[in-house]
Amino acid sequence: MARVVFSTWRGEFIDNRGKPQEEWVESQYKLPEQYEAGRNAKAFIGWDGFAIFDESVDVVRLGTEYAATYQKYSEACGRCAPGRWGGRILYDLMDKIARGEGEVSDLEHLKEVSRTMMETSKCEIGRTVPKPLLDMMEHYESAFMELIEQKKKSPHYDLEEIDYIAKVTAPCMDACPTHVDIPAYIEGVRDLRYDDSLKATRQTMPLAHTCGRVCPHPCEDECRRANLDEPISIMELKRIGADYETDHGYEWLHPVPPKPKTDKRVAIVGAGPAGLTAAYYLGVEGIQCDVYEELPVLGGEVAVGVPQYRMPIEKYNKDIELCRSVGTNFITNTKVDADMLRKFDKEYDATLLAFGTRLSKKVRAKNEREDMPGYWGAINFLDCINLWEKYRIPIPQEVRDQQMLDKEYVDLTGKTVVCVGGGFTSMDVVRCSVRANADKVIMLYRRDEKTIIRNTTYEEYHEAVEEGVEFIFHSAVEEIIEDEKGRLKALKCNRFELVPDPDGGRPQLVKIEGADFIIECDYLIPAVSQSADLGLLPEEWELELTSWNTLKTNGRDYMTSRKGLFAAGDCEYGPMTIVNAVGQAKRAASVISRFVHTGEITLTDEEIMEDHLRKLRVYDKSEKVTGWLPGLPRQVSEKLSVEERKDNNREVNLGFTQEEAIAEAERCMRCYYIAMTAV
């Protein structure tokens, strides 16, 4: 909700002009009436209308500044005449009226050009920019006519105290936690300019190999193409530029040339996606980063948790080497403790905590003991699998002893494995178990198939089904049964059913009496969630924590309750996706890059606008998309067949051919929009 003087945003019509404030109607949308703490916005204008928060706003100047922003964009694009020349005409006529030299005919010409652009421009930015201008000319016509008739400048034409802050976005960019310029990298693929594609990605995402393979692609959930037929295969197009760079042995394509090194130093705890991302962008800014990693290898959970068949280590290592290329210093086999953090606090200009959540949570069953042979936490299980498969590091002897393993790698021949969970970690566990030659693999999940697909991806779930994983939904472990030697023998499980809430709320899971069942198995692998080990935090710092026992920040600048100590990734939020960790770390690095020089916590206008637009939501699921030919099929990349993949760790998804990539990129509608706030 927002208090507005006037609004036409997304079809609403609110006109509070001349009314007592107690009679004002509020907007139903989260419009940015407060730009940032201590700075109120005066107006907002964007692709679907405009809103006035302050009655003193110069509407004509607002429209002129909006047209000026588009005119600069259209000159750079130049892909269609209506967009390019229309943009020039819009600005010229708006500015002519604003400076007091306009005619009535100019107003009519503006309306005509605006309608033509909306009908004939090739992409959404050209089609949508005229919308709020037409709204202004209709509902604030008197403001335009006054300037025309009296031949005077608009009230704020020469006023420099007001900032007009613009941001180019798109529904997919808004949904991406790292705000990657997705239409730009897709355009690079379409035009066979893979260098441009990769540079567009790396503006905000250094792990292009990785997030081109194992991203849950929330961008595709908010792709406008889905309103027409099917979303663009955004994730798979991302890997093409990165693969092209490394497969051809080119030098690193940095989005901007790295700056010379300064005397500023930052300590980073954790070399997973968050730590790597922060180190890269700080390194680009000339800030020396020392990254401390507990594991013997770099990459965090993507290295030791995500299987080789999903994320080949040789590709991930390319992303890691990119981060090293800006001068990052990595220190492995180093578990940071409280004494080291105290030392960092004195010796570095800032510290970023970017460690993961590597403690497996329990399933809360009776007789659940971590030391029981056959009870194997998901994190340790995946460590053992992947350290061998990727680095040939054998299983530690203490794990071999507890889990009754006679080889230096995980061999589950003849064994039955039960995993409890419903996310990416549990999916990795069951599919790795198949490849470790388990006789039978079962996943127990409290909810349904639809939810497990939403938690992971459609592809991941169906590939697991194809490989023989048995899913038992609406079920949970009540008790762990052990044999006479104290080894796990079987599981007593409950069945549940969804009972509708009579008040219309979320259906509740209710146990079905008499429906319990027994599963005989050799291993139970809990993958319900993970938690962070916060034992490294000095007690006297009294850092604020969340109710989830993670480090508390405001979710915008990622500084903890201690000045100079930042947190990003799993340790800040809890178990999250790779792209979320990257997005948090990119923002944290940006804030730190200024903090180490000024001692102040600030966000850029770009970042402030990103946050406002995410609250507002750029994607409109109910929008009826017109002007595009529906029915162009979404390309599907080749996958290894079940027989080719289920007994090895070869990469399953082979990616697009060049022809498939171009065909898929051509489906993109380039849904750029411009938003602007007057402050």
Side-chain angles (χ1 to χ4, degrees):
M1 302 287 285
R3 287 180 61 81
V4 297
V5 175
F6 186 91
S7 175
T8 63
W9 186 252
R10 284 223 160 119
E12 72 178 3
F13 181 75
I14 298 174
D15 190 351
N16 290 321
R17 290 177 290 183
K19 296 180 182 178
Q21 290 208 9
E22 59 269 18
E23 296 180 10
W24 279 21
V25 176
E26 292 190 345
S27 170
Q28 63 177 309
Y29 298 104
K30 295 180 181 178
L31 294 162
E33 57 179 325
Q34 184 179 47
Y35 183 69
E36 61 179 333
R39 292 181 77 193
N40 290 331
K42 295 179 179 297
F44 174 78
I45 180 171
W47 61 95
D48 212 351
F50 73 104
I52 304 297
F53 309 124
D54 185 330
E55 293 189 86
S56 68
V57 165
D58 181 345
V59 172
V60 179
R61 172 77 189 279
L62 176 67
T64 303
E65 293 291 338
Y66 191 64
T69 299
Y70 173 67
Q71 190 267 325
K72 293 174 185 175
Y73 172 86
S74 63
E75 288 290 332
C77 172
R79 287 185 175 270
C80 69
R84 183 174 185 180
W85 297 113
R88 166 59 70 178
I89 294 169
L90 282 186
Y91 171 66
D92 286 348
L93 292 178
M94 286 292 297
D95 188 60
K96 183 181 179 183
I97 294 171
R99 66 177 184 263
E101 300 174 9
E103 306 289 342
V104 174
S105 59
D106 294 327
L107 202 57
E108 295 306 313
H109 193 187
L110 262 175
K111 294 176 182 177
E112 180 184 357
V113 170
S114 295
R115 287 189 287 264
T116 300
M117 288 177 63
M118 292 178 73
E119 292 176 0
T120 60
S121 293
K122 287 185 69 175
C123 70
E124 288 308 305
I125 200 165
R127 295 179 184 183
T128 57
V129 161
K131 166 70 167 67
L133 301 180
L134 285 170
D135 286 351
M136 286 178 171
M137 287 184 276
E138 177 182 355
H139 299 294
Y140 279 77
E141 183 180 21
S142 60
F144 287 85
M145 292 305 298
E146 181 181 353
L147 303 183
I148 291 171
E149 292 172 352
Q150 298 182 24
K151 292 291 185 278
K152 67 177 184 179
K153 291 182 180 180
S154 67
H156 296 165
Y157 188 78
D158 295 316
L159 189 66
E160 296 183 358
E161 285 77 10
I162 298 177
D163 294 323
Y164 296 89
I165 301 163
K167 162 78 176 159
V168 175
T169 187
C172 52
M173 292 170 62
D174 178 57
C176 175
T178 66
H179 303 289
V180 173
D181 190 345
I182 292 169
Y185 82 63
I186 291 178
E187 186 175 312
V189 172
R190 185 195 65 194
D191 295 343
L192 299 180
R193 289 301 308 265
Y194 300 135
D195 54 342
D196 290 344
S197 177
L198 183 55
K199 285 179 181 178
T201 300
R202 283 190 180 148
Q203 289 285 347
T204 59
M205 159 62 74
L207 311 182
H209 281 295
T210 308
C211 282
R213 286 173 165 82
V214 293
C215 182
H217 44 75
C219 50
E220 295 183 21
D221 293 333
E222 299 188 29
C223 173
R224 282 182 73 248
R225 184 86 206 189
N227 293 31
L228 190 66
D229 40 46
E230 294 180 280
I232 307 297
S233 186
I234 295 172
M235 182 196 73
E236 291 206 43
L237 290 173
K238 185 187 292 126
R239 67 188 274 186
I240 291 173
D243 284 351
Y244 181 82
E245 174 193 58
T246 55
D247 290 350
H248 289 78
Y250 295 137
E251 293 184 4
W252 301 117
L253 290 170
H254 298 291
V256 293
K259 296 178 181 178
K261 281 287 181 277
T262 67
D263 62 349
K264 301 302 180 183
R265 300 169 65 232
V266 174
I268 299 175
V269 181
L276 293 170
T277 298
Y280 176 74
Y281 289 112
L282 288 169
V284 167
E285 290 297 317
I287 297 168
Q288 176 62 47
C289 293
D290 293 333
V291 182
Y292 296 84
E293 172 56 54
E294 177 182 357
L295 293 168
V297 298
L298 299 174
E301 283 307 299
V302 177
V304 299
V306 180
Q308 175 76 3
Y309 62 82
R310 281 216 294 144
M311 185 62 244
I313 193 59
E314 58 273 18
K315 293 294 186 181
Y316 190 29
N317 281 340
K318 296 294 184 181
D319 288 339
I320 294 172
E321 288 307 308
L322 170 78
C323 299
R324 192 193 297 272
S325 73
V326 294
T328 304
N329 179 36
F330 292 106
I331 305 100
T332 56
N333 286 311
T334 303
K335 183 176 175 62
V336 173
D337 58 21
D339 286 338
M340 293 181 70
L341 275 187
R342 294 185 188 99
K343 185 179 178 182
F344 294 168
D345 194 50
K346 295 176 181 178
E347 296 182 355
Y348 290 91
D349 297 286
T351 299
L352 173 67
L353 302 177
F355 55 89
T357 49
R358 289 183 46 79
L359 301 178
S360 293
K361 291 186 177 181
K362 295 183 177 182
V363 298
R364 298 180 180 178
K366 296 176 185 176
N367 196 33
E368 185 173 9
R369 303 196 320 274
E370 293 183 0
D371 61 352
M372 180 187 294
Y375 183 95
W376 201 347
I379 298 300
N380 184 260
F381 173 81
L382 291 172
D383 282 356
C384 293
I385 290 279
N386 290 306
L387 284 170
W388 174 262
E389 291 295 336
K390 297 178 181 182
Y391 306 98
R392 283 300 183 258
I393 297 176
I395 303 171
Q397 189 61 49
E398 63 270 20
V399 177
R400 292 177 61 182
D401 292 343
Q402 179 182 343
Q403 304 305 344
M404 304 162 290
L405 302 172
D406 58 4
K407 296 184 175 66
E408 57 184 0
Y409 58 89
V410 178
D411 180 3
L412 300 176
T413 301
K415 306 297 184 182
T416 295
V417 176
V418 176
C419 178
V420 179
F424 280 109
T425 300
S426 56
M427 206 67 76
D428 290 340
V429 166
V430 294
R431 296 186 69 188
C432 282
S433 297
V434 170
R435 286 159 175 77
N437 204 33
D439 188 55
K440 189 173 186 179
V441 181
I442 300 169
M443 186 188 291
L444 297 179
Y445 184 49
R446 287 176 60 88
R447 295 201 173 269
D448 58 10
E449 181 183 61
K450 182 179 179 181
T451 307
I452 207 170
I453 291 173
R454 188 166 62 243
N455 290 346
T456 56
T457 65
Y458 175 89
E459 297 86 356
E460 184 80 6
Y461 170 69
H462 281 277
E463 285 173 12
V465 172
E466 289 176 341
E467 291 166 9
V469 177
E470 178 184 351
F471 289 83
I472 303 177
F473 297 107
H474 294 148
S475 60
V477 179
E478 177 185 331
E479 182 180 0
I480 300 173
I481 302 169
E482 58 187 306
D483 64 16
E484 64 280 359
K485 294 183 179 180
R487 298 176 300 193
L488 188 145
K489 176 183 177 182
L491 306 173
K492 179 184 178 183
C493 303
N494 305 141
R495 287 194 188 277
F496 296 82
E497 62 179 342
L498 278 175
V499 177
D501 185 340
D503 297 325
R506 185 181 185 187
Q508 298 299 307
L509 278 173
V510 178
K511 179 182 174 181
I512 303 174
E513 297 299 332
D516 296 349
F517 59 98
I518 300 292
I519 301 178
E520 293 187 357
C521 61
D522 300 283
Y523 292 101
L524 168 64
I525 303 179
V528 290
S529 189
Q530 302 90 46
S531 59
D533 181 359
L534 302 182
L536 77 167
L537 304 178
E539 291 185 11
E540 70 274 14
W541 287 5
E542 297 181 340
L543 295 172
E544 290 186 38
L545 303 178
T546 68
S547 59
W548 293 90
N549 204 40
T550 57
L551 289 155
K552 186 176 182 179
T553 74
N554 64 9
R556 299 180 69 235
D557 56 46
Y558 296 102
M559 190 168 78
T560 67
S561 55
R562 183 178 180 84
K563 189 172 183 179
L565 181 67
F566 298 79
D570 290 5
C571 67
E572 190 272 347
Y573 185 84
M576 59 166 57
T577 62
I578 297 167
V579 70
N580 272 290
V582 171
Q584 285 195 356
K586 171 66 172 69
R587 172 69 66 86
S590 173
V591 174
I592 293 169
S593 70
R594 294 182 292 277
F595 173 81
V596 296
H597 292 291
T598 67
E600 298 178 355
I601 300 298
T602 59
L603 298 181
T604 65
D605 285 325
E606 178 89 0
E607 291 161 352
I608 293 171
M609 288 293 285
E610 283 174 355
D611 292 345
H612 282 308
L613 291 175
R614 192 58 191 149
K615 291 177 184 176
L616 186 60
R617 298 289 177 177
V618 175
Y619 177 59
D620 181 0
K621 189 174 183 178
S622 63
E623 178 193 4
K624 182 175 176 57
V625 174
T626 59
W628 293 91
L629 181 67
L632 294 178
R634 173 179 163 117
Q635 298 295 308
V636 179
S637 58
E638 184 181 355
K639 314 291 192 301
L640 291 180
S641 69
V642 177
E643 294 306 316
E644 288 177 302
R645 72 182 190 241
K646 70 178 184 180
D647 62 352
N648 59 74
N649 277 279
R650 292 166 58 194
E651 185 173 12
V652 172
N653 188 339
L654 303 181
F656 288 135
T657 64
Q658 180 170 292
E659 292 74 17
E660 290 169 339
I662 293 172
E664 186 61 17
E666 287 177 341
R667 296 178 65 239
C668 178
M669 303 187 296
R670 296 185 80 247
C671 306
Y672 284 125
Y673 297 137
I674 296 176
M676 175 181 284
T677 303
V679 182

